Amino acid sequence: IINTELYRNVGLAIAAVGIIVLITVANIVTALLITVNVAFCIIEILGAMFALGLVIDSVSVINIVLAVGLSIDYSAHIGHCFMVKGGTDNDARATESLADIGASVLNGAMSTFLAVAVLLFSKSYVFRTLAIQFALTVTLGVLHGLILLPVLLALFGPKPFASAEPIKEVSEGEDPVVKKESISPMNTAHETQHEVEQVGEDAFEENTA
């Protein structure tokens, strides 16, 4: 019964994740790659559980189903960021996606791991199993999201959205930091006042003439 519930619940969870990702990302190829990425992560969690001597019971089955929802978080952000990066070079789009949101995904994974790290030293079977499976989920999930998924997107990634932002191209020897001119409200007010004075002077000259 436990094995049947495991296959059924994990299958339904992955299917639900795939449908939700397809709706939010709005691209079937990216949604498929993200869903496959999550499925790989769950398979590896099951393999790591076997290596660590964890059995399939009601506690571990619940945590495995929860792992589907946790592992999708790391991949979905990378996949969506990839779609909003313009250009035709998938390698550059994947690199730009990691540069933009990779640090945030890694920080989220670290905070989740630290939240359950103290339970690794618990003597309770339930708490220790929960901590081990959560640690596996976070570790494998972030590795799949930051390493495997960008490679898959670079190889099989689709075209970007029509509203995607262009990739920042940096030539050799050029500073990669793009400096934008700062506009303060005071400068804007001075410019507006100058334009009004200029218009007044032009109108006065026309009336005089």
Side-chain angles (χ1 to χ4, degrees):
I1 297 177
I2 294 295
N3 291 337
T4 303
E5 291 295 327
L6 172 64
Y7 298 144
R8 179 188 303 165
N9 294 332
V10 171
L12 290 175
I14 293 177
V17 161
I19 294 174
I20 294 173
V21 170
L22 177 59
I23 295 173
T24 54
V25 177
N27 185 277
I28 189 170
V29 177
T30 304
L32 180 61
L33 292 177
I34 294 174
T35 305
V36 169
N37 205 47
V38 173
F40 286 165
C41 183
I42 298 301
I43 294 173
E44 292 175 11
I45 291 174
L46 291 172
M49 288 175 55
F50 176 79
L52 295 174
L54 296 178
V55 298
I56 300 297
D57 54 16
S58 58
V59 176
S60 60
V61 168
I62 293 173
N63 293 330
I64 291 173
V65 175
L66 291 175
V68 177
L70 290 174
S71 58
I72 187 62
D73 186 39
Y74 312 113
S75 300
H77 286 91
I78 299 296
H80 180 267
C81 191
F82 178 83
M83 292 303 299
V84 299
K85 297 298 179 183
T88 57
D89 188 357
N90 286 346
D91 291 341
R93 292 170 61 198
T95 303
E96 192 73 16
S97 300
L98 289 176
D100 280 359
I101 204 170
S104 299
V105 172
L106 182 60
N107 289 335
M110 292 177 61
S111 62
T112 304
F113 175 78
L114 292 176
V116 297
V118 293
L119 296 178
L120 291 171
F121 307 99
S122 175
K123 295 181 179 180
S124 172
Y125 170 77
V126 176
F127 290 153
R128 190 168 58 85
T129 302
L130 171 67
I132 292 174
Q133 287 186 288
F134 265 62
L136 289 173
T137 302
V138 171
T139 303
L140 295 175
V142 75
L143 288 177
H144 282 72
L146 297 182
I147 298 177
L148 177 61
L149 183 60
V151 174
L152 294 177
L153 290 173
L155 294 175
F156 310 108
K159 296 179 180 180
F161 293 143
S163 59
E165 60 183 20
I167 296 293
K168 301 174 184 177
E169 297 182 358
V170 180
S171 59
E172 296 183 0
E174 183 181 354
D175 188 0
V177 179
V178 179
K179 296 182 180 180
K180 297 182 179 180
E181 183 180 357
S182 60
I183 301 176
S184 63
M186 184 174 295
N187 292 336
T188 305
H190 285 314
E191 292 176 359
T192 304
Q193 183 179 1
H194 177 71
E195 292 176 358
V196 171
E197 293 177 353
Q198 186 65 33
V199 171
E201 291 177 0
D202 293 342
F204 177 76
E205 292 178 356
E206 291 178 359
N207 294 332
T208 304

